Amino acid sequence: MSRGFMQRLVALTRKEFRQLLRDSSNLAIGIVLPIVLILIFGYGLSLDVKNAPVAIVLEDGSPTAFEAVAGLRLSPVFSPVMLGSMHDAEALMRERKVDAIVRVPASFARDLGMGTARIQLLVHGSEANRATIILNYATAALGRKAGPGPGIAVEQRMWFNAANTSTWYLVPGLIVLIMTLVGAFLTALVMAREWERGTLEALFVTPVRPAEILLAKIIPYFCVGMCGLILCLLAARFLFHVPMQGSLLILLFSSMLYLFVAVGMGLLISSVTRNQFIASQVALLTSFMPSLMLSGFLFDLRNVPVVVRVVGNVLPATHFMELVKTLFLAGNVWPLILRNCAILAAYAVVLLGLARFVTRKKLD
């Protein structure tokens, strides 16, 4: 190995290092991306069920009835909530504030002595895997407390997913991912390409206002997103036979709100980065990946650490995910619909406003 070879190699390597350090996007992809991915996958992946909220309705106030449900209170899997009526428990179940209802009838103590005691167990089935785990754990806990002597029959029923199939749970979530991909990812790439080619600067020298340019960019991708939504709804209904318990009009309205959010995110990313490669990476990290891992699409956010749960609740996709699954499987739960629609509307206003502000600032 000659001395000249080493000198040339060192000089070229030094030049490549300087070039690498000069472009912050290289460092972001080489260092920040692995850190973000390991944090998202490390904290976001969880198949465990912990502290699942369970409503307990004791219509029988005898010590025997309390003893029958004591296993739920002692288990780390459940977080029991004592309620006075089935009406209150069902309301919490529809709003997805509890995962299950355990109902002990008024004649429980008398029936136990006759060997015909029964406990009703209702489980929220919108997430099939979680529902199955809760069902098995709750049945075991109630059965274990039965002890020797006459047994207790646990009458199980799955709400909002009678077939207990994961398809009903995954297909509505896929709609959220597809709309995120079309709205944020595609818009960011296409707009960044126009920034690179200079076609937007050519428009800026014309009398056309920045707001008009942004609106003209939003409308086509909004239409593409709505076409994708309609195709997804048709596939969900006729290919996968997912029931539609809620209002289709509300679903379309909330989808339009979320599409504004996704398009606004894409416009903001493209206006800030103005580079296709960087825009694709930023859109991937800030929209698609969090929507896949931290929105509740695959895993329940209540099973992840608090910090990750807070991050997940900040994402607009999390609120749209909850809204879509509720409309498909549970029906029109108005407190949940109004809250999530208000959040999506606020996100849309903020993101589109920021995109408009950044674009105007660059033009000035």
Side-chain angles (χ1 to χ4, degrees), residues 104-348:
V104 180
S107 60
F108 176 78
R110 187 186 65 232
D111 294 341
L112 185 62
M114 300 170 61
T116 58
R118 296 177 181 274
I119 292 179
Q120 189 177 22
L121 175 61
L122 305 175
V123 180
H124 199 298
S126 61
E127 298 177 26
N129 292 334
R130 181 180 175 85
T132 301
I133 294 173
I134 292 174
L135 195 68
N136 293 334
Y137 273 109
T139 302
L142 294 170
R144 185 168 57 247
K145 292 307 295 178
I152 300 174
V154 180
E155 296 179 342
Q156 304 172 352
R157 187 179 174 189
M158 194 84 74
W159 275 18
F160 311 128
N161 188 352
N164 194 20
T165 171
S166 58
T167 302
W168 289 12
Y169 165 69
L170 292 175
V171 170
L174 284 173
I175 294 176
V176 180
L177 295 184
I178 291 170
M179 293 188 67
T180 303
L181 198 64
V182 173
F185 199 75
L186 183 61
T187 304
L189 282 182
V190 174
M191 285 288 291
R193 184 172 61 199
E194 294 209 35
W195 281 110
E196 281 185 346
R197 292 177 178 176
T199 52
L200 282 179
E201 282 83 350
L203 281 175
F204 290 161
V205 300
T206 66
V208 179
R209 297 177 179 176
E212 296 168 349
I213 295 175
L214 290 179
L215 280 176
K217 295 296 179 185
I218 290 173
I219 292 172
Y221 295 106
F222 182 84
C223 294
V224 171
M226 291 305 295
C227 290
L229 170 68
I230 292 172
L231 291 176
C232 289
L233 292 178
L234 291 174
R237 186 69 188 91
F238 296 106
L239 289 182
F240 301 104
H241 308 290
V242 181
M244 184 70 194
Q245 304 292 350
S247 168
L248 180 61
L249 290 178
I250 296 174
L251 178 60
L252 290 174
F253 174 74
S254 59
S255 300
M256 292 169 66
L257 285 179
Y258 182 70
L259 203 50
F260 278 123
V261 174
V263 172
M265 192 180 300
L267 288 175
L268 182 61
I269 292 171
S270 63
S271 298
V272 172
T273 60
R274 301 190 175 192
N275 178 284
Q276 280 192 88
F277 181 70
I278 299 176
S280 66
Q281 300 302 316
V282 174
L284 183 69
L285 288 176
T286 59
S287 62
F288 185 73
M289 286 296 293
S291 300
L292 177 67
M293 301 300 301
L294 302 177
S295 66
F297 170 64
L298 293 175
F299 311 102
D300 197 309
L301 290 178
R302 290 169 292 187
N303 296 335
V304 299
V306 176
V307 176
V308 180
R309 193 185 313 153
V310 171
V311 173
N313 286 325
V314 170
L315 300 174
T318 302
H319 303 281
F320 186 50
M321 187 78 70
E322 184 181 38
L323 194 53
V324 170
K325 288 181 179 178
T326 301
L327 288 171
F328 263 102
L329 300 178
N332 297 333
V333 183
W334 285 106
L336 189 147
I337 291 172
L338 295 176
R339 183 182 72 241
N340 287 327
C341 282
I343 292 173
L344 291 178
Y347 270 112

Side-chain angles (χ1 to χ4, degrees), residues 341-360:
C341 282
I343 292 173
L344 291 178
Y347 270 112
V349 171
V350 170
L351 288 172
L352 290 173
L354 283 175
R356 170 69 179 84
F357 175 76
V358 172
T359 304
R360 184 184 62 180

